[in-house]
Amino acid sequence: MVLLAEWTALTLETASPVPFGAEILNTRTGEMLMRAHNAVAPEHDPSSHAEVRCIRLACRKLEGFSLAGYTLYTTCEPCPMCMACALWAGLDRVVYGATIADANRFCRQIQIPATEVAARSDMTCVVDGPVEQAACVALFTHPNMQRAFKTWSTKR
């Protein structure tokens, strides 16, 4: 998780900083399959969350829709859309850093925990977190990210 937070932090020095990053690793070997950042603004797509993008790219790479045997790591607890996507993809596990409540201090969030989305499904996926929460919350509190939040119309 610390490495994912460090990789995501690289965006903080760009014109489009984001605190949301995700990666998918082979559950058994730990080998990385894919990484992605949130790209809602540059792609003009509200579904371009880091988790969804990472899942899409990983499935494309594997040429299939199942990610059974893989674990999704994400710098922030998945929103209901992202958690549902993780379930539909058949991921073994989702591990997150910052919580939805942490993120909500800076931008709007849907207040449904990832564990609740998983519990209301007939699909199996272990949800773990928060893990390395301080490192992931630091992405939200970085001065460049704080400036960027002021330009987002997502917290009123």
Side-chain angles (χ1 to χ4, degrees), residues 24-104:
I24 295 174
L25 280 64
N26 182 294
T27 300
R28 188 176 48 77
T29 67
E31 180 181 349
M32 188 189 343
L33 175 64
M34 190 59 58
R35 273 185 176 165
H37 295 116
N38 176 296
V40 168
E43 292 182 2
H44 310 289
D45 180 353
S47 71
S48 287
H49 290 197
E51 301 93 334
V52 170
R53 290 184 73 236
C54 197
I55 291 166
R56 286 176 181 159
L57 293 166
C59 287
R60 204 169 293 143
K61 183 175 182 177
L62 294 176
E63 297 181 348
F65 58 83
S66 175
L67 293 175
Y70 291 90
T71 297
L72 173 70
Y73 291 83
T74 180
T75 58
C76 188
E77 182 176 0
C79 74
M81 174 184 70
C82 293
M83 190 60 217
C85 189
L87 290 165
W88 286 114
L91 285 156
D92 298 343
R93 187 171 166 227
V94 171
V95 181
Y96 66 87
T99 66
I100 289 172
D102 293 329
N104 192 230

